[in-house]
Amino acid sequence: MKIAVLISGAGRTLKNLIDLVAADQLPVEIALVISSSANAGGLKHAEDAGIPTSVVNRSDYESDDAFGPAVFSRCRAKEIELVVMAGFVKFVPVPEDFACGPDRPGRVVNIHPSLLPAFGGRGMYGRRVHQAVLDHGAKITGVTVHFVDNEYDHGPIIWQQPVPVFDDDTAESLADRVFQAELECYPAVLKMIANRRVALSGRRVRVVKRGGGRSKADAAKG
């Protein structure tokens, strides 16, 4: 499966995916990295791995509706099957050929550092999320991997993993622990998608067994 990874910053998630692909632990080809900034550190990870890169600055476009086609036209040119957002902080509208349908998984996924729908929405990324968790007094946070639609942090949820919040946590210490969960969750979901094991019905996502059968949990529900 050919994927494009969208970044805006240091690219730690991208580096993790590159390393897993190199070790034959992730059955995808990273065919393109798109950055919203020419200064993003993650571009160096891509270049070191010989992955084509492209910079698409939001400020070069008058509107989101102009910015979106600039991003996705590059994906179509590379015949990308799945767009993987990895710290991409700009809003980009998802076109019809990449969007979720009522019973069709979308072709854009994102990872968010909380248990959505809590602590999501416009402007909620990075340290802001973890500080909001602490300010609220939450005892559990976590990671959410979801399909992307045209609302912030709103698309159907594929996977969630809880992470405890400790009494002595700072935003930085909590961010570090959540990121360790991200390093496991995102590749696991990408493997499932690459193996055609993710199905969507309305907003509900289920994981099917290899070969297309239902999981034990689905079978138990009848």
Side-chain angles (χ1 to χ4, degrees):
M1 183 176 70
K2 294 177 69 172
I3 71 171
V5 181
L6 274 55
I7 65 171
S8 292
R12 293 188 300 168
T13 298
L14 169 63
K15 182 63 165 62
N16 182 49
L17 299 180
I18 289 172
D19 290 345
L20 290 172
V21 170
D24 291 326
Q25 295 180 21
L26 184 60
V28 304
E29 175 192 350
I30 305 175
L32 178 65
V33 170
I34 296 177
S35 175
S36 63
S37 170
N39 298 319
L43 289 170
K44 182 66 163 55
H45 297 316
E47 291 162 3
D48 289 346
I51 300 169
T53 63
S54 182
V55 175
V56 187
N57 287 302
R58 172 62 180 83
S59 60
D60 291 339
Y61 299 89
E62 294 183 355
S63 65
D64 291 336
D65 288 339
F67 178 59
V71 171
F72 283 96
S73 64
R74 288 162 169 79
C75 296
R76 293 189 192 96
K78 289 288 186 180
E79 300 182 336
I80 296 301
E81 298 172 76
L82 184 72
V83 174
V84 177
M85 293 189 171
F88 192 75
V89 300
K90 303 298 183 181
F91 179 77
V92 56
V94 179
E96 180 62 28
D97 56 329
F98 281 82
C100 292
D103 296 295
R104 183 186 74 244
R107 296 170 57 197
V108 186
V109 293
N110 181 52
I111 189 164
H112 184 78
S114 75
L115 296 176
L116 293 174
F119 307 107
R122 187 181 182 93
M124 292 297 286
Y125 57 86
R127 187 184 188 280
R128 299 178 186 181
V129 176
H130 306 299
Q131 190 61 55
V133 168
L134 295 175
D135 291 345
H136 193 74
K139 301 302 182 183
I140 298 290
T141 185
V143 175
T144 302
V145 183
H146 64 98
F147 290 114
V148 175
D149 59 15
N150 286 322
E151 297 182 43
Y152 282 100
D153 302 325
H154 175 266
I157 292 170
I158 306 168
W159 180 295
Q160 290 186 304
Q161 181 164 319
V163 173
V165 180
F166 300 142
D167 290 343
D168 60 351
D169 264 327
T170 64
E172 289 72 23
S173 65
L174 185 56
D176 288 343
R177 197 157 58 257
V178 170
F179 184 67
Q180 292 307 308
E182 292 184 29
L183 293 178
E184 299 178 3
C185 292
Y186 222 179
V189 170
L190 296 182
K191 284 182 184 179
M192 291 190 295
I193 294 174
N195 290 324
R196 306 294 190 262
R197 296 181 59 208
V198 174
L200 180 67
S201 178
R203 284 192 55 85
R204 301 192 69 174
V205 176
R206 67 185 179 94
V207 178
V208 299
K209 295 190 298 184
R210 297 182 190 278
R214 294 191 302 169
S215 68
K216 290 182 180 179
D218 290 325
K221 296 174 185 175

